[in-house]
Amino acid sequence: MAHDTAVLVLGGGSTGCGIARDLAMRGVDVTLVERGNLTDGTTGRMHGLLHSGGRYAVSDQASATECIEENEILREIASHCVEETGGLFVQRPEDSDEYFREKLEGCRDCGIPATVLSGREARKVEPYLADDVSRAIQVPDGAVDPFRLCVANALDAERHGARVETHAEVIDLLRDGDDIYGVEIRHDSGPGKRTHKSPGTTEEITAEYVVNATGAWAGQIGAMADLDVAVRPSKGVMTIMNVRQVDTVINRCRPKGDADIIVPHETTAILGTTDEEVADPDDYPEEQWEVDMMIDTLAELVPIVEEARTIRSFWGVRPLYEPPGTGTQDPTDITRDFFLLDHDERDGVSGMSSIVGGKFTTYRAMAEEISDHVCAKLGVSATCTTAEDPLPGSENISVLEEGMDDFGLRSPIARRSNQRLGNRAADVLETDEPNPVVCECEGVTRAEVQDAIDQSGSDLNAVRIRTRASMGNCQGGFCCQNMATELHPRYDEETVREALDELFEERWKGERHALWGEQLSQAMLNYALHATTMNRDNDPANGSTQVDYAQFDGGA
Amino acid sequence: MSDAQRPIDDGVPSEQPSTGGAGGGDGDDDNDEFEPVQVFPEAEEMDLRPGADSCYKCSTCDTNCPVAEVDDEFPGPKFQGPEQWRLKRQDDHDIDESVMKCSNCMRCDSACPSSVPLSQMHNTARAEYVEENMSKLSREYLRNRMLANYRRLAPLASMFPRTANVVMGLSVTKWLGEKTLGITSEREFPEFATETFREWWTDRGGAKVENEDKRIAYFHGCYSNYNTPEVAKALVHVYEHFGYEVMVPEQSCSGTPMFANGMLEDARRAAETNVRELAAAIEDGADVIASCSSCSMSIRQEYPELFDFEDTETVAANTWDAVEYLRVHEDLTGALENTAVGDEFDDMAYHAPCHSRNQGLDGQTIEVMDAIDGIDAHDVGDSCSGISGTYGWKEENYETSMKIGEEMFEHMDEAEAETGLTECPTCSMQMEHGTGYEIKHTLEVLEAALGGDGAENGAGSGSDTDAGTTTATESI
Ligand SMILES: Cc1cc2nc3c(=O)[nH]c(=O)nc-3n(C[C@H](O)[C@H](O)[C@H](O)COP(=O)(O)OP(=O)(O)OC[C@H]3O[C@@H](n4cnc5c(N)ncnc54)[C@H](O)[C@@H]3O)c2cc1C
Ligand code: SF4
Ligand code: SF4
């Protein structure tokens, strides 16, 4: 039977995108479907830490070793998505010396470069560290932008012939007896790039092999074919600070616990996180006390965060999994390793494997292992090259570092744009058109926004994750409408309006959890501006009642 | 106010960064005899990113910036300050060159509804720009350093003031200034007085009033020492009239021109001397008084924002503007009631300097003048004069500077007065340059009023002997 595609990958997170790229580079015909934007699941809601492995150096040395290996690879192949910040495991007076020693030894056992710093030396690296931090272990942790890394994987997959469909939700698995041969998907707005308002369709895609990489949703997909995939989703909260109080990843040096890491992320710093099992990955409580607890606890390491401005908080769900019968009670104890469930071996149903668990940092190694498995099934013998071949944007970073062009932009804006785009910068930013700044907080110009629209259609959240536009301190108050304007004239007024609403709503979602102090002022100012200049508090054009134009006089 | 406004003292003066790997280096360090001890962080180490937390992007600062108003190329204080700082990573030092276009008038500071430390951000960024980006041999750097350190040149000039005045005025000198240094030839160099204030003070034998309970330490700054000693003398006379013992401590430049040119190291040295000397005077029971609005601004706001010498805060908290102090501690309007000034003073067009405005002192002069008979002072509005210290002296800024000043010139022209009045020496140059009016300092008017006979005081004529002036003073 002829199939639409050789391999169908479900889920556009780091795992799915990584697999799609890996297979496409091996010459396999791949299609990836994702129900929302790329990274809409856990990948877009994680902490942004490129683990050195230090975190697992005591509890799980196999993971730790894998982390340091992958950490080194990603710094090479995805240098424009990774910031080599370095990390510190800091010890407070009440934290155990014994554990500090175990951590140091663990790092050394796993090949993680580790240096001990005195409290004073640590404060020299990070001036805002608490005065009573007594010692620290310096490790090569890094910061990673999951959005751009994931998008770069998808982009490269497409360059190698893959089809990537976003806003395409799997609504059924196609099963014939004991064989799964494809899926039925619902396109939110017709296949291809998203255009709001274009009518949705459904489509059946058949495939030789299906890879279920839907993370915390893998159980829901499995259920469509009566397969039991016992994912235990566990939520964690993260709070985004307005500025970077630290430029190094700060970890608390004690056995894994809640609220023990601060990651500098682009222009911000992210506090995290917690670990609490939830029943439904799409519907769980987001509570203020979680945010408060995190700020209070992390203020023990970096006191300035207590009073500092937060711009939003968000929650993510880990796709934790453990083999049936393990029976771990506390989700923190569940392994962070990943599992490849071959449903043929496990359930006697051929044509599909599910992937659950794992970490972002090791997505590439996971993808390699899974792709090997799939290739064996398909009888393809090509080898994996993802550890050597850089991602789009990082192909030629040395050139970029030698002579960073400013493309006529003010220097901090040129710097940030170059850092985001890597060696695509020249392609994107060299333009004869005027290139004004669209998002002032993050320094994003029109050319970069246009480039993102080229990639993703009328979806402004997709533009956001590619560029960071609207992710700064005004949370879109000053730039959402500028971004929307960039959709015109490619898209009509109605589409632009809807895209704007969708983006602004998404921004508001996270900002709700930061409504005190300065961010409250910001929200009020945003409201006043949008209400008074764009009628957005009560725009008759958005209402159901028709405007009675006859009531207006002729203006005479 | 956020913690960002506190400069960071890392407290590890002589320690080497340990990045280069373990302890090995430490041993060598002990042998290094001339390891410079870095007690305070370099400008570029000052992390003001947290200061961006207070900014909610309302753009009020931009709409109040006089440079942004006339220069489309200038991105404005919001970009210059909170936005630029927020985009920084610890190791990023590529400050945008537009920071050199900011005149440091500090209007953005007072306009911001949310206490963003804008001028602190500009000052620090400017220093970083100069440190990292401006070639130390460039003509711009030399020119800026020269303008910023005007005080160092001034003593030379005042040793031979007449020659200096002639030479500075020569068109050849001006042409050379513009061509080789980028100092505009449009302006007249300020004249140097034949006798500096400090010379006069020494000749006079110092204070004429002794009073343990009422003491002030006079911070005269550079300009009233070298160029307008009549202002400094007026201050002495007025304060002695109210029974104050005037002390004139050792002092250096306030630092204002150095901040504005990004010469933060020069400013640091000057500030260190000032803080030390003024703190000693405060210890002796004095309050610090400045006659120049930029000097008082600098000591009160910029010092605590940028430095943390011992006593910086104390000195800042005990520093006053000369007129402000009298209004608080004396019945100044009472004393001025029924006083009059002679024909020497006409009605006046008053411009409140930006740096007075920032201290909340923009209304006081008009009120004080109202109390004096025979003189009307007209406020010419709240626009900026446009010169902002050394800013308007630079060839590339001259036009911008005059454009900013236009509104003030027009208002001066419309006001029914032929003399100008202000408390800032460079505003005074700009006012004179734009209108041709003679410009007075408020203290000169007070001196005339309180002396009962302005003409007799004649402080302005320069060649008067001490004896003459002092006698006049003692008669008030
Ligand atoms: C709070 C938190 C912090 C974390 N921090 C870190 C960290 O700092 N470093 C690190 O390395 N790892 C971290 N992780 C782990 C890491 O984020 C995840 O392991 C990784 O992102 C999982 O990626 P994934 O592709 O497997 O899953 P996902 O990103 O969830 O991808 C699954 C995709 O499937 C899609 N999908 C679901 N249902 C359907 C359907 N019916 N049809 C089509 N598509 C569907 C979803 O929309 C989603 O995009 C963190 C996790 C959490 C929860
Ligand atoms: S100090 Fe003056 S010139 Fe500089 S940015 Fe602020 S308002 Fe503008
Ligand atoms: S006035 Fe203050 S709060 Fe408003 S934009 Fe300027 S710095 Fe930000």
Side-chain angles (χ1 to χ4, degrees), chain A residues 242 247 309 410-411 415, chain B residues 49 53 55 73 86 94:
Chain A
N242 177 45
D247 292 86
R309 170 175 177 179
R410 300 202 180 277
S411 46
R415 166 169 33 80
Chain B
R49 289 176 298 183
D53 273 2
C55 173
E73 291 294 302
R86 194 172 167 276
D94 51 342

Side-chain angles (χ1 to χ4, degrees), chain A residues 525-538:
Chain A
L525 180 66
N526 290 356
Y527 176 82
L529 270 180
H530 283 233
T532 55
T533 62
M534 289 178 280
N535 238 357
R536 282 173 60 79
D537 56 337
N538 185 16

Side-chain angles (χ1 to χ4, degrees), chain B residues 1 29 38 61 67 86 131 138 149 158-160 162 193 196 217 228 244 268 272 349 374 391 412:
Chain B
M1 289 233 186
D29 287 350
Q38 182 72 42
C61 51
V67 177
R86 194 172 167 276
E131 185 61 32
S138 75
N149 287 285
S158 63
M159 260 184 242
F160 312 100
R162 292 195 181 82
T196 68
T228 54
Y244 285 89
R268 183 190 308 282
E272 196 174 10
Y391 178 82
M412 283 179 73

Side-chain angles (χ1 to χ4, degrees), chain A residues 344-364:
Chain A
D344 192 8
E345 288 164 20
R346 215 182 71 137
D347 311 293
V349 177
S350 62
M352 180 164 99
S353 286
S354 293
I355 296 92
V356 280
K359 286 178 281 304
F360 183 89
T361 304
T362 54
Y363 88 93
R364 195 212 58 84

Side-chain angles (χ1 to χ4, degrees), chain B residues 409-424:
Chain B
F409 301 146
E410 272 167 26
H411 289 178
M412 283 179 73
D413 201 41
E414 283 159 19
E416 281 180 29
E418 299 299 318
T419 313
L421 183 69
T422 193
E423 291 92 12
C424 163

